[in-house]
């Protein structure tokens, strides 16, 4: 019962002499420090709210306006044109305006504040108007128009003051609703080459009927929503694409991110984790204080930052019909899993963040703990890997009261989840399979050593290698990539290790050890856990993952072909897929819409008429290199244009998706929308963002590269392809498929990708790098 005494701040007993209090100074000290920290955070948030609310103005600019008004008055110049005198007349009599001088000062302060706020509103609306201009995206590289140059100067002038993370949020334009005819036209153009004449005629007829009869009514509601809501897509996308999904989120939704794969800082598991967790909480503190710079395209155009708000202290809570995202303003601990046991590790001592060496000691204590799992505890997390309805039912039945609720709260209210694995994984360039095994371990593990509902699980392998498994509903991959770059950069270049691989400094041995979570899991719950585990294991065993590093060249030599690296890879994927399957398919490439407020993603339909024409010419082999180059450049230009359209709000799929949601609310049946929304994406692709934070020079440290990450296939008979064009000389690919499909094979498709990249490079006679 020793820990029970430490859990209260004071004890008391009733004696004949009265009530006898026994205060615990240590606990009261921690309560006091916790309160100080809480109030400090509140004051910082209030201050940041004020500074963010008046951006691009500042308190200094307000003082300048006040002094200018006062100075003009003393020079007998009324710059207010009588407004100060008018305000003075309306001030009430008596205190605090007893003297004429005081009344004049108050009037000038009110007038100055009004002028200042009007100026802020004008500048903010002007900046929003400027950020609505996207002509710069459609101009050829090196051929900037005079209009774009003037626009860039104006944007830079209006955003020159150092912005905080959320300073630009109210200045970002809203995502526009495209016109129905434009969307329908672009849709038909995207499928014409994938359908035979009869199929295309049928789809064209359905589209025309939809455009003329059904769409006008649906579009009116959608336009009305766009006026009222901050973003007409994002809330429905989050709810219907993610939170209402009833299938397992493991593999189907969650994705993974890899560590640095070409360098290694330490082999000590607890030490690497200590530095990483310390860096993550440092990042969270910067996030809370809005000290992180907003991501800027071209260093000029701000990207929306709203997704970053739920990075920490967030859990997906299962529900019968739909899940919900639970986000807490703060959390002072992480939940840890090791050898079938769950622990709670405090991140602070009072108001002080634990140093990396202290965190290393806490994680090492868990690694050294010999206690066995409690009955049903080992595979408990399999509930988060199975069906959502089954998890919701089990949560309600077995985790709604008592010690189970307290233990589950400790996990769901944690800053994030940590998995201490007993296996070792890393990338060995001499053993290509090592990267795929590493990816499989991150994607699903053994199906019960990840808490798939947390915003992210930090995975630590026995050899010190790290990785992430990330829930998708709260944000998209570039957001977690921003955090991960900070963590890896801080770990490598700021925190460091001793010669023996431990964190720097000396640990504090008097820190209380991690708290073991207590469970009382009945047999019925254990049956539910086992059932979810079997579902998850069948899903995990069906996933084939093939990860590889493409060494012959990277973006440096691709640029010599005078095309974008992304277009180059996407066209190579089309060539590889045609060689692999003998046909073309609908292809999904994710692009972002974060130039708009609360923007998330849009689809680039990268299997275009131009790319198929190039692929067919390549396969037939009848044309000269010059003709093939011409077809390739035409396909690349088309892809880049479609990517720009998607980024600037003129995409196809989010508009059609929202029209479909409106039709369901209204009870309107649309054969056109039903068919469009049911079309499978047999090739789903995504490029991984990198170098969002310039923490080090990649030219000086070329080995400090992560391998990106990946995801499961979207269609049962399709491929999922994630790629990262890592620097100038290498590309990492993550290819997924299902063993249960006789038509797909991830390794075979990966080899086709390799060959397609080489064949396209040969067209331009681009020399390859050694190795």
């Amino acid at each position: 019962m020793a820990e029970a005494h430490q859990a209260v701040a004071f004890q008391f007993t009733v004696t004949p002499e009265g009530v006898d209090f026994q205060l615990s100074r240590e606990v009261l000290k921690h309560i006091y420090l916790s309160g100080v920290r809480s109030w400090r955070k509140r004051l910082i948030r209030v201050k940041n709210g004020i500074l963010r609310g008046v951006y691009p103005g500042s308190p200094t600019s307000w003082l300048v306006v006040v002094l200018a008004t006062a100075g003009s008055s003393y020079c007998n110049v009324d710059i207010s044109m009588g407004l100060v005198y008018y305000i003075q007349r309306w001030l009430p009599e008596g205190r605090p305006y007893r003297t004429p001088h005081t009344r004049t000062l108050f009037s000038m302060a009110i007038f100055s504040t009004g002028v200042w706020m009007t100026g802020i509103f004008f500048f903010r609306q002007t900046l929003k108007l400027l950020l609505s201009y996207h002509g710069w995206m459609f101009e050829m590289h090196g051929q900037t128009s005079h209009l774009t140059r003037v626009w860039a100067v104006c944007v830079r002038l209006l955003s020159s003051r150092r912005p905080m993370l959320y300073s630009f949020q109210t200045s970002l334009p809203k995502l526009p609703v495209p016109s129905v005819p434009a969307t329908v036209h672009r849709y038909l153009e995207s499928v014409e080459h994938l359908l035979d004449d009869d199929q295309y005629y049928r789809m064209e007829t359905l589209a025309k009927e939809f455009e003329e009869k059904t769409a006008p009514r649906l579009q009116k509601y959608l336009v009305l929503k766009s006026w009222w809501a901050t973003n007409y897509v994002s809330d429905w996308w989050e709810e219907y694409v993610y939170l209402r999904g009833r299938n397992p989120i493991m593999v189907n939704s969650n994705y993974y991110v890899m560590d640095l794969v070409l360098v290694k800082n330490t082999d000590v598991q607890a030490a690497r984790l200590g530095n990483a967790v310390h860096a993550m909480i440092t990042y969270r503190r910067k996030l809370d204080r809005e000290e992180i710079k907003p991501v800027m395209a071209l260093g000029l155009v701000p990207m929306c930052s709203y997704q970053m708000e739920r990075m920490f202290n967030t859990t997906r809570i299962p529900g019968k019909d739909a899940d919900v995202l639970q986000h807490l303003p703060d959390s002072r601990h992480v939940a840890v899993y090791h050898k079938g046991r769950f622990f709670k590790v405090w991140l602070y001592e009072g108001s002080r963040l634990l140093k990396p060496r202290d965190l290393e000691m806490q994680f090492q204590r868990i690694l050294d703990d010999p206690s066995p799992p409690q009955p049903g505890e080992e595979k408990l997390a399999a509930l988060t890997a199975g069906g959502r309805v089954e998890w919701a039912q089990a949560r309600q039945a077995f985790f709604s009261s008592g010690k189970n609720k307290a233990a589950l709260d400790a996990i769901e209210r944690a800053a994030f989840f940590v998995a201490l694995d007993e296996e070792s994984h890393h990338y060995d360039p001499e053993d290509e399979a090592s990267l795929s095994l590493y990816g499989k371990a991150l994607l699903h593990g053994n199906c019960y050593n990840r808490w798939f509902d947390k915003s992210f699980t930090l995975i630590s392998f026995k050899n010190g290698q790290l990785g992430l498994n990330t829930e998708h509903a709260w944000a998209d991959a570039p957001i977690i990539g921003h955090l991960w770059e900070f963590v890896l950069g801080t770990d490598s270049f700021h925190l460091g290790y001793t010669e023996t691989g431990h964190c720097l400094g000396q640990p504090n041995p008097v820190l209380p050890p991690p708290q073991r979570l207590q469970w009382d899991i009945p047999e019925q719950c254990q049956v539910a856990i086992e059932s979810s585990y079997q579902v998850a294991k069948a899903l995990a065993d069906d996933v084939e993952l093939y990860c590889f590093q493409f060494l012959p060249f990277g973006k440096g030599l691709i640029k010599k072909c005078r095309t974008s690296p992304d277009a180059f890879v996407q066209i190579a994927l089309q060539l590889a897929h045609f060689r692999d399957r003998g046909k073309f398919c609908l292809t999904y490439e994710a692009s972002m819409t974060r130039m708009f407020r609360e923007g998330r993603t849009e689809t680039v339909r990268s299997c275009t008429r131009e790319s198929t024409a190039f692929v067919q010419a390549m396969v037939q082999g009848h044309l000269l290199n010059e003709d093939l180059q011409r077809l390739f450049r035409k396909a690349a230009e088309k892809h880049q244009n479609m990517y720009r359209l998607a980024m600037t709000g003129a995409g196809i799929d989010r508009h059609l998706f929202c029209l479909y949601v409106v039709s369901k609310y209204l009870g309107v049946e649309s054969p056109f929308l039903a068919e469009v929304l049911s079309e499978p994406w047999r090739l789903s692709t995504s490029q991984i963002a990198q170098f969002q934070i310039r923490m080090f020079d990649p030219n000086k440290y070329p080995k400090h590269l992560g391998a990106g990450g990946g995801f499961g296939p979207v269609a049962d008979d399709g491929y999922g392809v994630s790629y990262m064009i890592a620097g100038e000389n290498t590309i990492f690919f993550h290819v997924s498929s299902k063993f249960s499909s006789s038509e797909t094979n991830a390794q075979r498709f990966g080899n086709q990708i390799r060959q397609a990249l080489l064949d396209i490079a040969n067209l331009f006679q681009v020399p390859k790098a050694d190795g």
Side-chain angles (χ1 to χ4, degrees):
M1 295 296 291
E3 56 278 339
H5 292 289
Q6 297 300 321
V8 293
F10 62 91
Q11 307 164 44
F12 69 92
T13 57
V14 178
T15 68
E17 289 77 24
V19 178
D20 177 30
F21 287 92
Q22 299 178 16
L23 298 178
S24 171
R25 292 185 179 180
E26 184 65 23
V27 178
L28 288 176
K29 174 186 173 184
H30 284 284
I31 291 173
Y32 167 75
L33 292 174
S34 178
V36 168
R37 178 175 177 270
S38 178
W39 277 104
R40 186 183 297 148
K41 286 189 71 173
R42 291 180 189 178
L43 291 174
I44 289 172
R45 284 173 179 167
V46 169
K47 182 197 75 172
N48 289 343
I50 294 171
L51 294 176
R52 184 195 329 125
V54 301
Y55 189 86
S58 66
T60 304
S61 63
W62 174 82
L63 185 61
V64 169
V65 175
V66 171
L67 293 175
T69 305
S72 66
S73 175
Y74 286 109
C75 295
N76 295 321
V77 177
D78 186 9
I79 63 172
S80 72
M81 301 178 67
L83 283 175
V84 170
Y85 176 72
Y86 181 78
I87 294 170
Q88 188 174 343
R89 285 177 51 198
W90 283 94
L91 288 177
E93 299 291 339
R95 294 184 177 182
Y97 316 108
R98 286 182 298 181
T99 66
H101 183 67
T102 305
R103 294 170 66 84
T104 301
L105 289 178
F106 267 98
S107 301
M108 282 191 271
I110 293 171
F111 168 77
S112 301
T113 302
V115 170
W116 180 65
M117 293 181 67
T118 302
I120 289 172
F121 177 80
F122 171 77
F123 283 126
R124 187 172 287 173
Q125 294 303 311
T126 303
L127 183 58
K128 181 181 288 189
L129 186 64
L130 289 168
L131 294 177
S132 299
Y133 169 73
H134 300 122
W136 59 274
M137 289 195 67
F138 296 89
E139 294 179 348
M140 297 292 292
H141 182 68
Q143 298 181 13
T144 307
S145 66
H146 293 297
L147 175 63
T148 297
R149 288 174 182 171
V150 172
W151 164 83
V153 170
C154 293
V155 171
R156 198 172 294 280
L157 287 173
L158 287 176
S159 57
S160 58
R161 191 171 73 83
R162 184 179 178 184
M164 295 188 299
L165 179 61
Y166 302 118
S167 291
F168 291 111
Q169 291 299 100
T170 54
S171 298
L172 293 173
K174 286 188 175 184
L175 182 68
V177 182
S179 70
V180 172
T183 297
V184 170
H185 171 74
R186 282 195 288 267
Y187 169 77
L188 291 174
E189 183 184 12
S190 74
V191 298
E192 183 179 4
H193 52 285
L194 300 174
L195 305 174
D196 61 33
D197 291 343
D198 291 339
Q199 291 173 328
Y200 180 74
Y201 175 76
R202 175 178 171 276
M203 185 56 73
E204 192 177 36
T205 303
L206 289 176
K208 185 177 181 181
E209 181 184 9
F210 168 75
E211 182 180 338
E212 294 176 352
K213 297 180 179 179
T214 312
R217 183 185 176 197
L218 305 181
Q219 181 78 347
K220 287 177 183 177
Y221 283 98
L222 205 55
V223 171
L224 180 63
K225 186 194 177 188
S226 74
W227 292 345
W228 176 253
T230 309
N231 188 294
Y232 81 93
V233 175
S234 293
D235 58 338
W236 285 350
W237 186 254
E238 180 178 299
E239 179 180 357
Y240 292 106
V241 172
Y242 295 115
L243 298 180
R244 284 188 178 270
R246 301 294 79 198
N247 291 324
I249 60 175
M250 183 196 78
V251 175
N252 293 322
S253 179
N254 285 30
Y255 56 94
Y256 66 87
V257 185
M258 287 184 170
D259 197 354
L260 299 174
V261 291
L262 303 179
V263 295
K264 200 168 188 182
N265 297 320
T266 180
D267 291 321
V268 181
Q269 184 177 13
R272 185 79 198 287
L273 197 53
N275 268 1
V277 171
H278 182 86
M280 283 181 167
I281 302 305
T282 301
Y283 182 95
R284 187 180 69 169
R285 183 167 57 192
K286 289 178 176 290
L287 197 63
D288 290 340
R289 296 177 178 179
E290 300 184 33
E291 295 172 354
I292 296 171
K293 295 179 181 178
V295 176
M296 312 282 278
L298 302 179
L300 187 67
V301 180
M303 301 288 106
C304 180
S305 302
Y306 100 100
Q307 295 181 57
M308 303 177 81
E309 295 174 359
R310 298 183 294 187
M311 187 179 297
F312 295 93
N313 328 322
T314 299
T315 304
R316 178 169 173 163
I317 306 297
K320 184 178 179 181
D321 299 315
D323 297 348
V324 295
L325 288 174
Q326 172 187 278
H327 174 68
L328 305 174
D330 194 18
S331 177
R332 296 172 59 82
H333 72 277
V334 292
V336 182
Y337 179 90
H338 176 247
K339 281 189 177 180
R341 297 92 41 86
F342 291 87
F343 296 84
K344 181 178 183 178
V345 177
W346 293 103
L347 300 169
Y348 294 87
E349 183 185 18
S351 61
R352 181 184 68 85
L353 172 62
L354 293 184
K355 296 178 180 178
R357 189 66 181 89
D358 293 330
L359 289 167
E360 178 189 347
M361 179 185 69
Q362 297 293 64
F363 293 126
Q364 191 61 51
R365 284 173 168 176
I366 293 175
L367 291 170
D368 295 338
D369 187 328
S371 60
Q374 300 160 76
E377 182 183 17
E378 182 179 14
K379 295 183 180 179
L380 175 61
L383 289 170
T384 69
R388 303 307 293 172
V389 174
E390 292 78 8
W391 174 206
Q393 292 171 343
R395 190 176 188 276
Q396 176 64 33
F398 307 113
F399 299 91
S400 58
S401 63
K403 62 170 64 175
N404 286 351
K405 184 179 188 301
L408 183 62
D409 280 348
I411 295 174
E412 293 181 341
R413 300 175 73 85
F416 51 90
F417 193 78
V418 177
L420 284 165
D421 279 16
E422 302 164 66
E423 301 175 345
S424 292
H425 284 286
H426 70 286
Y427 173 43
D428 179 2
E430 302 298 322
D431 178 14
E432 185 180 80
S434 63
L435 194 62
S436 302
L437 292 172
Y438 178 24
K440 283 274 282 183
L442 295 174
L443 180 62
H444 51 68
N446 62 15
C447 302
Y448 57 80
N449 57 355
R450 318 274 180 258
W451 198 270
F452 294 99
D453 287 355
K454 288 301 291 182
S455 54
F456 64 88
T457 295
L458 174 60
I459 301 159
S460 171
F461 296 106
K462 195 171 184 178
N463 59 346
Q465 202 76 13
L466 300 177
L468 298 176
N469 183 287
T470 307
E471 200 278 320
H472 211 326
W474 64 273
D476 301 308
I479 304 302
I480 201 70
H482 196 279
L483 163 69
W484 197 231
E485 285 185 30
F486 177 88
V487 170
L488 297 181
T490 302
D491 173 46
S492 298
F493 299 102
H494 297 282
L495 296 178
Y497 299 88
T498 65
E499 292 181 357
T500 55
H502 293 279
C503 296
L504 300 176
Q506 294 296 322
N508 179 8
V510 300
L511 283 175
Q515 177 186 343
R516 177 79 185 273
L517 300 185
Q518 299 299 313
W519 307 91
D520 182 11
I521 301 175
E523 289 186 9
Q524 301 96 311
C525 183
Q526 294 181 37
V527 171
I529 291 171
E530 184 62 28
S531 176
S532 289
Y533 169 66
Q534 293 300 330
V535 170
K537 187 174 186 302
L539 178 60
D541 289 345
D542 195 26
V543 174
E544 180 186 8
L545 188 66
Y546 179 56
C547 307
F548 64 94
Q549 181 183 12
F550 181 78
L551 287 168
F553 56 86
K555 70 178 179 182
L557 295 183
I558 290 176
K559 289 178 180 177
K560 293 185 178 180
C561 302
R562 290 180 292 156
T563 188
S564 82
D566 182 64
F568 189 99
V569 174
Q570 283 291 327
I571 296 170
L573 290 176
Q574 292 302 315
L575 177 57
H577 187 272
F578 188 81
R579 286 171 170 173
D580 182 76
R581 300 287 297 273
K583 58 184 177 181
F584 297 104
C585 71
L586 227 93
T587 304
Y588 183 111
E589 181 188 6
S591 75
M592 66 176 182
T593 55
R594 288 172 60 202
M595 289 192 295
F596 302 97
R597 191 170 181 184
E598 295 188 12
R600 289 198 60 161
T601 61
E602 178 57 276
T603 305
V604 180
R605 293 177 166 238
S606 40
C607 182
T608 62
R609 182 190 295 110
E610 290 77 5
S611 65
T612 58
F614 167 75
V615 168
Q616 287 171 335
M618 280 287 289
V619 172
Q620 292 167 2
H622 298 319
L623 298 182
L624 298 175
N625 274 11
E626 291 78 6
D627 297 321
L628 291 171
Q629 288 177 20
R630 178 179 52 80
L631 289 172
F632 175 84
R633 289 204 170 95
K634 190 175 180 181
E637 288 170 9
K638 176 67 174 181
H639 179 270
Q640 288 176 263
N641 188 61
M642 290 187 64
Y643 203 98
R644 291 161 181 157
L645 287 171
M647 287 185 66
T648 54
I652 301 167
D653 290 276
R654 299 301 177 270
H655 186 203
L656 293 177
F657 162 77
C658 288
L659 290 172
Y660 181 75
V661 173
V662 174
S663 74
K664 288 301 179 183
Y665 278 128
L666 297 177
V668 175
E669 292 298 324
S670 169
F672 172 73
L673 288 177
E675 190 150 338
V676 171
L677 270 294
S678 65
E679 292 172 339
W681 299 100
R682 290 192 172 88
L683 182 54
S684 181
T685 71
S686 179
Q687 181 182 182
I688 302 164
Q690 60 172 331
F691 299 132
Q692 298 180 77
I693 305 176
R694 293 290 180 180
M695 293 191 70
F696 62 92
D697 184 357
N699 295 320
K700 187 176 179 182
Y701 301 98
K703 294 290 187 180
H704 282 72
L705 290 176
F711 52 87
V714 174
D716 289 340
D717 58 346
Y719 291 112
V721 181
S722 174
Y723 56 95
M724 187 174 78
I725 305 171
E728 299 294 315
N729 302 310
T730 190
I731 308 173
F732 285 99
F733 284 91
H734 305 254
V735 183
S736 63
S737 64
K738 291 194 173 182
F739 287 114
S740 56
S741 171
S742 60
E743 300 181 41
T744 57
N745 182 292
Q747 183 166 356
R748 183 185 71 208
F749 187 48
N751 291 331
Q752 293 285 13
I753 294 172
R754 272 197 185 96
Q755 191 58 51
L757 290 167
L758 293 171
D759 289 346
I760 295 175
N762 286 334
L763 287 181
F764 296 89
Q765 298 179 344
V766 177
K768 317 303 183 302
D770 293 337

